[in-house]
Amino acid sequence: MIGRRPQVQFEVLTLQDPGYPTALRAIADPPQALYVRGRLAEADRTAVAVVGARRASPYGVAVAEWLGRELTRNGVTVVSGLARGIDAAAHRGALQGGGRTIAVLGCGVDIIYPPEHGRLVAQITGAGAVLSEYPPGTPPLKHQFPRRNRLISGLALGVVVVEGREDSGALITADCALDQGREVFAVPGPVFAQTSVLPHRLLQQGAKLVTMVEHILEELHLAVQHATTSSVALQGAEAAVYAQLTLDPQHIDVLALRCGLPVSEIGRVLIGLELRGLVRVLAGQRYVRATVEG
Amino acid sequence: MLARVHSAAVLGLQAYGVDVEVDVGGGLPAFAIVGLPDAAVQESKERVRAAIRNAGYEVPPRKITINLAPADVRKEGPAFDLPMAVGILAATAQLNGGHLDGTLLLGELSLDGRIRPVPGLLAIALAARERGQPALIVPERNAAEAALVEGIDVYPASTLAQVIGHLEGSAPIAPLRRPPPPAAEAPAGDVDFGEVRGQAHARRAMEIAAAGGHNVLLVGPPGSGKTMLARRLPTILPPLSWEEAIDVTRIYSVAGLLPGGSGPVRLRPFRSPHHTTSAAAMIGGGAGARPGEITLAHRGVLFLDELPEFHRDVLEALRQPLEDREVTVARAQLTVTFPAAFMLVGAMNPCPCGHHGDDGADCLCSPPQVARYLGRISGPLLDRFDLHVDVPRVSPADLTAPPVGEPSERIRARVCAAREHQRRRFAGTCACNALMTAKQMRRSCRLAEGPRAFLRTAIERLGLSARGYDRLLRVARTIADLEGAAEFGEAHLAEAMQYRVFDRSLRLSG
Ligand SMILES: Nc1ncnc2c1ncn2[C@@H]1O[C@H](COP(=O)(O)OP(=O)(O)OP(=O)(O)O)[C@@H](O)[C@H]1O
Ligand SMILES: [Mg+2]
Ligand SMILES: [Zn+2]
């Protein structure tokens, strides 16, 4: 299922254009031309890539969103690949942080893939850029995605891997980063989770551990403008319910039992928390915290 | 000589009088039935002949002509056997026909003269009373349903000989006594909500649905108890009133689904047609203008398990009756209207593999696959469901451990109280919140400024669709009625939002 937009505005940047990203010029095999929707900016020289599993856990999604948000709050552009799961969460976080984000595609920039990301693409073009080395109209073919990964790392000062299974595509991005002399970071996950295999292996091999955004900024010698902060001020039933919530999904019945509240009451409290962006509902009426803050 | 015997037939749910006129005259021996009889009526000849002979009477070798009047309506089935036999006996002076005038007869004959039950007797008895027919002679096996009607005498008969003895006065049959209308107390069904363990959220949803008459869509993995929950919805609905019970009994009587000798239907119907059911079987109609599943579910629950598997045309055909609460089907040149005021419960898996959102098992369906699957229940049908409920799998440990759930009786008491609030508010113009007109909604779902702002924010932030707005208000109104609250506010709206999962883009996440 490929959503085609016949008439999208895009710009072509050749290797000779002054607007061609400097960081990409330096890599071994830069594309001759880049097709760009939206706009690249001077500020994008300070960019970090956040990549990871498509079938991500709620934990991974929350981490990627949080990193995206915190990085942009510190003036860093977030680069990723628009895939489901971690990539999309990183873009979303960056948008929430009010900063810039760049999506590098493995198909033409006029093609929405995955198809449910139409709205996200519109938001990214408004607050950054969607770009590709493939001419408009190029369908999303499997072999194009590994190649595109060298651009994700190439545009960034470093690559943060949030969740990845054994054979995750994020491994390719990390390898490209090493070839290009970029920093590699990884966020740890639960020991038993399949999605922790890649980040944990990278950490064993010397990737930098990330548990707060400062770890990235300091390693890249970037100024910390906005320290990790915030705790959520809640009272009464809301506080009790929020305290029970984690990044592991819990069904509304289970929460009701654990909080000792009738299910009618807990449903109301959860909607309130959701409206404030503190919790997220997953399929099957299961709830998780929406952020790792607080 | 000519004899006339009164009988009746059913069209749709209404009975109409049929006169069986028997003429026995000279000419070559023959036996003809005229007046638009169908094949089954033609077969009466052999049964009638044998039954008369076996009762010890005779069919003279003369020219017998039977006319079924009025002649412009097709007559179906074997119910005219008895009036034909009696007519022949009267026309041949083997029986004194003096008492035939105020009496209506009906019944199928077997070859040995026994009388077999026929469908639709309750409808016929109701019509007989309307037309001032004082007496009914009917098959003993379904006499009980006819006796539910006040103001007529019902004589149960099991053989032709008995009928003859009664009409001659030599062995009168005692009329069946009308059973006293039972107390409003609901009889115990064979299932109860107490058997459902855990499932607090889903149980609450069923209670709200029952309280407001809302259609419910249950979504959950295989074996999570969707069928179990749906099956128990009738047990928490208000008991059938006497009038409603007669209504339902009449439908089951016409459909031939009333067990012999039974009184009125007391439990609300629960119909669960298979997903291969045809539109005709679902909606009604067809050759016999029979009531369909939606009419058999009248005043009860229609359960569509595996909703996305139903044929599209069947689901489409449901939309009109869901709106009108009745259905009109065409039958030859006539149209027949059947009532169809039912609650709809749908059940489906959350995705093709059934495990999307299931903690215990991995779902490997891609978001587009999930979206396509959910897309099979089209927007307009989805719009008919006021509540969308996620039913999770209960762990084996919870299934075996006490405590068991709250019994139906206690839930029903709260449901009845909420219905009472609605009855008073609408002063009889509308049965429940699910059926409010736009005008009634404006009046009874007025929101103060605070809740209105809350609703606006929620619609924006939770991605609630505008389509669901009206449904959300109705459900919130019912939640307030369950609480006995006159006004409704944020809390009621917030809880209602928990039951609109399909409105939310979030459906596809995680
Ligand atoms: N909450 C529960 N309490 C007690 N028994 C349950 C519960 N849930 C399921 N069961 C048991 O599991 C059986 C299967 O439930 P049911 O048939 O209602 O599931 P379902 O959701 O309709 O499944 P399917 O999708 O396969 O139709 C029930 O007959 C019942 O014995
Ligand atoms: Mg089932
Ligand atoms: Zn699945």
Side-chain angles (χ1 to χ4, degrees), chain A residues 52-61 84-86 162-163 165 195, chain B residues 510:
Chain A
R54 278 174 296 174
R55 275 192 291 128
S57 75
Y59 163 80
V61 168
R84 292 177 185 127
I86 298 300
V162 183
E163 292 200 332
R165 292 177 180 74
T195 45

Side-chain angles (χ1 to χ4, degrees), chain B residues 223 226-228 303 305-306 347:
Chain B
K226 303 181 293 293
T227 302
M228 192 181 192
F303 178 50
D305 205 354
E306 317 288 356

Side-chain angles (χ1 to χ4, degrees), chain A residues 49-146:
Chain A
V50 178
V51 297
R54 278 174 296 174
R55 275 192 291 128
S57 75
Y59 163 80
V61 168
V63 166
E65 260 187 42
W66 164 68
L67 281 178
R69 199 161 49 235
E70 291 303 319
L71 284 165
T72 51
R73 279 181 186 161
N74 285 283
V76 177
T77 297
V78 173
V79 182
S80 195
L82 195 70
R84 292 177 185 127
I86 298 300
D87 286 15
H91 290 302
R92 268 200 312 271
L95 293 165
Q96 287 162 13
R100 295 184 53 79
T101 182
I102 297 173
V104 185
L105 309 188
C107 56
V109 291
D110 55 339
I111 286 170
I112 308 283
Y113 184 83
E116 67 268 25
H117 283 171
R119 230 181 82 157
L120 187 57
V121 165
Q123 291 170 331
I124 295 172
T125 46
V130 172
L131 61 82
S132 172
E133 64 185 302
Y134 299 106
T138 309
L141 301 179
K142 252 202 165 101
H143 70 272
Q144 291 161 194
F145 286 84

Side-chain angles (χ1 to χ4, degrees), chain A residues 1 55 84 115-116 249 251-253 263-264 266-268 270-271 274-277 280-287, chain B residues 199-201 204 356-357 359 364 367-368 390 392 454 458 461-462 479 483 491 494-495 498 501 504 506 509-510:
Chain A
M1 252 193 356
R55 275 192 291 128
R84 292 177 185 127
E116 67 268 25
H251 188 265
I252 188 169
D253 288 354
V263 73
S264 54
I266 203 140
R268 301 169 189 192
L270 284 166
I271 288 285
E274 202 184 343
L275 286 178
R276 279 145 70 187
R280 200 201 327 258
V281 62
L282 306 179
Q285 214 70 4
R286 297 166 310 148
Y287 280 87
Chain B
Q199 300 291 14
H201 178 68
R204 169 77 175 164
H356 191 61
D359 269 335
L364 294 178
D390 272 307
F454 170 78
R461 298 217 43 180
L462 305 182
I479 292 171
E483 262 173 31
E495 192 185 345
Q498 289 290 1
V501 286
R504 305 178 55 175
L506 296 161
S509 68

